[in-house]
Amino acid sequence: MLLSVLSPVLRCEWGLTEWDVAAVSTVVFAGMLVFGPIWGKMSDRFGRWPTLWIVMFLMGWFGILTSFSPTYNWLLFLRMLVGGAAVGTGQSFILFAEMLPPKHRGKMLVLTQLFWASGSFILIAAAAIIIPNFGWRWLMIFTAVLSWVSLCFFKMVPESPRFLLGKGRHEKALALLQSIAKVNKTTLPDGHLIMPALQEQGKIADMFSPHYLRLTLQLFVIWFCMTFGYYGVVLSSTEIVQQAPICDISGNVVSEHTSLAVKECGCRQLTSDDYVTLIVGTLGEFGSLIINVVLMDVIGRKWTFIVNLVACATFVLLLNVCTTRFILSIFILCARMFMSAIGNAIYIYTSEVYPTTFRAVGLGVCSSFARIGSMISPFVAQVLMAHSVPGALGVYAAVMILTGKVALQLFL
């Protein structure tokens, strides 16, 4: 989300081309690609809690440094480091998943999307206030400081009992569970904790063993589409509100929305109306909660992916229609809603199907592979779209439909 509001102001301030703007997004995902497996392996070896603390600290540190970027190349380098740290935040999902009983895991993990949606909403609202009045550098500082604020709450976050058991630290795992039971004013069930056989933690090779090879390939396909499509919808939303003409209900053009001078120099700052449209679009993130809560336990993970992919492709194609700003906002909202639902569902499924011994590294590797889609997406949303809006939106819709077909055939 930050990249979507940062691109227009950087384009104007530094005179960047479409390729330069796309590169700002791509380097973030390149950092994620490189560091994803590293954080996953570190989490499986040393723990979810210390890994998560480190990545949150680094996100804040490199975010602050980004605000002082003197040149475009420095900005690229520092945003790459921010991306490398940000990918490690997925360990919070693993930590939460390992705290939940299977009966309630699906619905509770869906609800974590509420915090992602809230963050997206707050970010766009903050950008609408900070960028026009103080500049983009202060927005960087604002987001970085929030990462450090979260560190104040880490004393309330325990390590994963499953991780502790997997490492053979039985007494500490039991003491932690007793402490959790005490906080919740209950007691542990009768019986004893069973220590699993000690295994080497964080082996990437296990993902490609005969038992998990097919599953891993399936996940790679869905993860690639999720990040390619999600960041495509996010980045395309900004480009569309800048470029698309506005029509009345009958389809007659009432506003070109982008002057000839703007088209020639490629520079146009977001207006207050544009920010409102983007804020409305972020509300789709909240709608994804309802979709997944209803669908995942009713029709299963497989059909949840397929329904969301087809629905998202439909609304992406509808963004080609010249319509009123209100209806355009609704189309963006629905595209965001179904794409966010896909992202939330794939995080849940991945955390469920891999065992504790390489669950974190599995999520890290899948997330890193997905960054290939993220790295390609800006060049479709910010380069191809500058020349052909229907062509760019068609690419996104086609990828979603093809992924739905693959999921139908391959996904268990």
Side-chain angles (χ1 to χ4, degrees):
M1 286 306 302
L2 181 61
L3 297 172
S4 66
V5 294
L6 189 61
S7 298
V9 66
L10 290 178
R11 179 185 286 132
C12 292
E13 182 173 323
W14 286 344
L16 303 181
T17 66
E18 291 95 348
W19 290 88
D20 293 332
V21 172
V24 175
S25 302
T26 296
V27 295
V28 175
F29 303 125
M32 293 181 173
L33 175 67
V34 173
F35 284 92
I38 295 174
W39 296 126
K41 195 170 184 65
M42 180 175 174
S43 178
D44 279 337
R45 286 184 177 274
F46 303 108
R48 287 43 168 145
W49 192 97
T51 302
L52 190 57
W53 193 97
I54 291 171
V55 300
M56 294 303 294
F57 176 82
L58 292 178
M59 277 183 60
W61 176 247
F62 291 126
I64 292 289
L65 292 180
T66 298
S67 68
F68 294 98
S69 299
T71 65
Y72 172 71
N73 289 331
W74 267 108
L75 178 74
L76 291 181
F77 175 68
L78 292 170
R79 292 311 294 172
M80 181 181 67
L81 295 179
V82 169
V87 71
T89 59
Q91 301 309 317
S92 63
F93 203 82
I94 294 293
L95 178 58
F96 188 45
E98 292 179 342
M99 291 285 189
L100 298 171
K103 180 180 179 181
H104 303 291
R105 184 179 298 147
K107 290 182 179 179
M108 292 303 297
L109 290 176
V110 166
L111 292 179
T112 62
Q113 180 71 16
L114 176 64
F115 299 95
W116 176 276
S118 300
S120 299
F121 181 86
I122 293 171
L123 175 60
I124 299 299
I129 298 171
I130 296 174
I131 290 180
N133 295 290
F134 305 101
W136 64 270
R137 296 178 188 274
W138 282 102
L139 182 63
M140 297 294 99
I141 293 173
F142 172 75
T143 56
V145 168
L146 289 180
S147 297
W148 285 348
V149 169
S150 70
L151 297 178
C152 300
F153 299 93
F154 265 63
K155 286 187 177 181
M156 297 184 288
V157 179
E159 180 58 272
S160 165
R162 289 181 180 270
F163 167 79
L164 294 173
L165 276 177
K167 298 294 287 185
R169 297 156 69 178
H170 179 274
E171 293 183 359
K172 190 167 184 178
L174 181 59
L176 175 57
L177 290 173
Q178 290 172 337
S179 175
I180 293 173
K182 183 178 179 180
V183 170
N184 289 277
K185 299 180 180 179
T186 185
T187 58
L188 294 178
D190 294 333
H192 301 280
L193 284 179
I194 299 176
M195 296 180 62
L198 295 179
Q199 302 179 37
E200 183 180 352
Q201 302 289 306
K203 292 178 63 177
I204 296 177
D206 290 340
M207 296 177 60
F208 301 95
S209 65
H211 183 71
Y212 287 103
L213 177 60
R214 183 185 177 195
L215 171 65
T216 297
L217 296 178
Q218 292 169 348
L219 290 176
F220 279 1
V221 172
I222 305 297
W223 273 90
F224 176 91
C225 173
M226 185 272 290
T227 56
F228 179 80
Y230 179 81
Y231 290 105
V233 170
V234 170
L235 296 173
S236 296
S237 300
T238 305
E239 299 299 318
I240 288 171
V241 298
Q242 286 188 295
Q243 298 181 34
I246 301 299
C247 298
D248 60 23
I249 196 66
S250 300
N252 301 312
V253 177
V254 296
S255 172
E256 286 293 341
H257 200 63
T258 304
S259 67
L260 179 60
V262 170
K263 290 179 180 179
E264 290 178 349
C265 71
C267 170
R268 178 184 177 278
Q269 296 279 12
L270 293 174
T271 66
S272 57
D273 287 341
D274 295 335
Y275 279 115
V276 170
T277 300
L278 294 176
I279 288 173
V280 171
T282 63
L283 297 178
E285 306 269 358
F286 294 95
S288 66
L289 292 171
I290 301 174
I291 291 175
N292 279 347
V293 166
V294 172
L295 293 183
M296 290 188 69
D297 289 335
V298 175
I299 64 175
R301 275 53 167 166
K302 170 183 173 179
W303 285 102
T304 297
F305 283 119
I306 294 171
V307 169
N308 285 325
L309 284 164
V310 173
C312 185
T314 301
F315 282 103
V316 165
L317 291 176
L318 286 174
L319 293 176
N320 284 297
V321 178
C322 183
T323 185
T324 65
R325 179 175 286 274
F326 173 77
I327 296 178
L328 176 64
S329 300
I330 297 301
F331 287 165
I332 293 175
L333 182 152
C334 291
R336 285 283 296 274
M337 178 173 64
F338 289 109
M339 200 68 240
S340 296
I342 297 169
N344 186 244
I346 192 63
Y347 263 99
I348 292 172
Y349 189 87
T350 305
S351 66
E352 288 178 333
V353 295
Y354 284 134
T356 304
T357 51
F358 62 91
R359 180 177 293 128
V361 75
L363 182 66
V365 171
C366 287
S367 180
S368 288
F369 180 85
R371 302 310 154 187
I372 299 174
S374 305
M375 293 168 66
I376 298 171
S377 191
F379 293 99
V380 177
Q382 295 174 316
V383 178
L384 177 58
M385 186 164 287
H387 302 280
S388 174
V389 172
L393 295 177
V395 169
Y396 286 118
V399 169
M400 293 173 196
I401 295 298
L402 290 174
T403 303
K405 184 177 180 180
V406 171
L408 181 62
Q409 294 176 344
L410 298 179
F411 216 88
L412 297 176

